[in-house]
Amino acid sequence: MPWFEDFKVGDRHRFGHYEVTRDEVLDFARRWDPQPFHLSDDGAAATHFGSLSASGWHTAAMTMAMVVAEQGKDDDGSGSLGAVGIDNLRWLKPVKPGDVLSVETEVIETRPSSSRPEMGSIRNRTTVFDQHGDPVMRFEPIVLYRRRSA
């Protein structure tokens, strides 16, 4: 399991492979984000999207699936104690059916907790890329981890 002390500012990690399918885009949109450009080609053609695009929230969910899968490679997934929030969430480019997503994280801040000495927070700059290497989403999660020194 990674510990708080294992993270250093500047550390980068690239991982993930998520193939976006048309059926998944439509299923997510019907349930969670039923806007015309997420639901049909015709609805999307009438907008600046031009063609069917995944909801930004769907892109975030696909990213979380890749993050959890990556965490599970090194441990049982219990290294993280959860997140306290996300800052600076931006959807940079529409995600389309057929795109293949991957993730890069960069540690931008580590902070021991002053009120909970058994944990610390890690702020990452997380960027999601499509198969062409173009960034499609960026955000900064603040994640809690256990400390060895506790």
Side-chain angles (χ1 to χ4, degrees):
M1 149 177 60
W3 297 83
F4 170 78
E5 292 84 0
D6 295 330
F7 295 92
K8 304 293 181 236
V9 171
D11 287 351
R12 288 179 182 248
H13 185 57
R14 188 84 182 247
F15 59 91
H17 180 94
Y18 197 103
E19 296 180 22
V20 182
T21 69
R22 179 181 178 81
D23 287 344
E24 191 175 61
V25 168
L26 294 170
D27 289 345
F28 187 96
R30 281 187 207 104
R31 183 149 188 206
W32 304 110
D33 193 355
Q35 297 182 77
F37 41 87
H38 300 317
L39 291 170
S40 74
D41 294 313
D42 291 339
T47 70
H48 65 283
F49 291 106
S51 62
L52 186 69
S53 65
S55 164
W57 298 114
H58 185 195
T59 303
M62 291 182 281
T63 301
M64 192 64 194
M66 288 185 282
V67 167
V68 171
E70 185 65 16
Q71 286 176 344
K73 287 181 178 179
D74 294 331
D75 61 47
D76 63 3
S78 65
S80 166
L81 296 172
V84 297
I86 292 176
D87 291 336
N88 303 315
L89 172 63
R90 296 290 182 266
W91 292 296
L92 305 170
K93 180 182 173 187
V95 171
K96 308 284 187 168
D99 283 347
V100 179
L101 305 179
S102 62
V103 179
E104 181 179 85
T105 59
E106 177 186 1
V107 177
I108 58 174
E109 179 182 76
T110 63
R111 185 183 312 176
S113 174
S114 57
S115 62
R116 306 273 315 261
E118 73 276 10
M119 65 177 65
S121 65
I122 306 296
R123 179 187 294 265
N124 288 306
R125 180 174 297 112
T126 301
T127 306
V128 182
F129 296 92
D130 67 13
Q131 69 276 9
H132 305 293
D134 296 332
V136 300
M137 185 174 75
R138 184 171 291 126
F139 60 99
E140 295 176 7
I142 304 114
V143 183
L144 301 174
Y145 281 89
R146 287 183 181 90
R147 292 181 67 193
R148 284 190 183 97
S149 56

